């Protein structure tokens, strides 16, 4: 086409011409701009703990088989892609879930006891009372038993549970040794103490508060009384 030529007159076809759409505003503050902050819904920002919390809920309410990336994203109302910003894969998430459980339920608890100045007898009172801390204790028990159920068929979970059990038993055994019991005797008493804790967590609905207090008092006396020769 020769750009010096004038365009030929347009023929009437009876078909209405298309309306010219107004250009999109480049001003981000303009409400007409679809990219305007007034038009764009704020994106949800999640931290790794949010994903771990959601995974823990599914573990408790269903099973480890239900803890899937797609299910978590759906529960959280976010895209699957954002999961991989925090975790390499599902196994990485599960590993961090176990690590957090270990830290919160064992390492931090022991650190708290070690950071306070009171007698070994007082520590025993505190440790025996852990399963009786209301809804907090019930929640912790639900998580723990879900993880223990998982550990029966998964090596990674089994190793995590083994490490937690060993750390708790070692701490309890050291406490009894500080009370004057021999190493073997302290180890047996630590196991009895730990068994009491697990039983109280598992059989929470079996007794009322009055019965639990009696059981706690009896167990403490049993643990502190030297064996008859």
């Amino acid at each position: 086409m020769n750009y010096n030529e004038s365009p030929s007159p347009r023929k009437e076809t009876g078909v209405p011409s298309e309306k010219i759409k107004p250009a999109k505003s480049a001003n981000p503050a303009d409400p007409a701009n679809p990219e305007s902050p007034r038009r764009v819904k704020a994106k949800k920002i999640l931290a790794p703990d949010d994903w771990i919390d959601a995974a823990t809920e599914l573990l408790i309410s269903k099973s480890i088989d239900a803890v899937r990336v797609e299910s978590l994203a759906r529960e959280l109302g976010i895209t699957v892609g954002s999961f991989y910003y925090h975790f390499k894969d599902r196994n990485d998430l599960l590993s961090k879930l176990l690590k957090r459980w270990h830290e919160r339920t064992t390492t931090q608890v022991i650190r708290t006891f070690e950071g306070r100045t009171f007698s070994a007898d007082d520590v025993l009172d505190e440790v025996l009372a852990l399963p009786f801390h209301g809804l907090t204790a019930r929640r912790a028990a639900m998580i723990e038993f879900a993880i223990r159920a998982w550990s029966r068929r998964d090596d990674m979970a089994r190793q995590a549970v083994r490490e937690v059990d060993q750390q708790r038993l070692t701490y309890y055994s050291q406490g009894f040794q500080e009370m004057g019991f021999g190493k073997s005797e302290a180890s047996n008493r630590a196991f009895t103490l730990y068994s009491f804790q697990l039983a109280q967590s598992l059989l929470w609905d079996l007794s009322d508060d009055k019965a639990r207090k009696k059981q706690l008092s009896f167990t403490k006396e049993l643990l502190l009384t030297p064996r008859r020769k």
Side-chain angles (χ1 to χ4, degrees), residues 30-137:
D30 186 351
N33 183 354
E35 298 302 324
S36 167
R38 301 183 194 178
R39 299 284 299 274
V40 177
K41 189 177 180 180
K43 291 183 178 180
K44 186 182 293 187
I45 301 175
L46 299 179
D49 273 346
D50 294 315
W51 289 95
I52 295 174
D53 288 341
T56 301
E57 288 299 327
L58 282 178
L59 177 64
I60 293 171
S61 62
K62 296 182 180 179
S63 71
I64 189 60
D65 295 329
V67 182
R68 299 289 175 184
V69 177
E70 294 79 7
S71 300
L72 294 173
R74 187 163 51 251
E75 289 287 331
L76 293 168
I78 200 166
T79 62
V80 172
S82 61
F83 169 86
Y84 295 100
Y85 181 80
H86 300 294
F87 306 98
K88 296 177 182 178
D89 50 29
R90 177 176 180 266
N91 202 55
D92 185 34
L93 167 69
L94 298 180
S95 174
K96 287 181 170 60
L97 185 156
L98 291 169
K99 183 178 180 180
R100 191 181 77 169
W101 168 68
H102 186 158
E103 176 68 20
R104 289 185 175 181
T105 65
T106 304
T107 304
Q108 288 181 5
V109 174
I110 291 174
R111 191 182 298 130
T112 299
F113 286 140
E114 291 177 338
R116 295 164 61 183
T117 304
F118 48 16
S119 67
D121 187 77
D122 290 333
V123 173
L124 181 58
D125 280 334
E126 293 277 348
V127 170
L128 282 168
L130 286 175
F132 303 99
H133 290 177
L135 294 177
T136 301

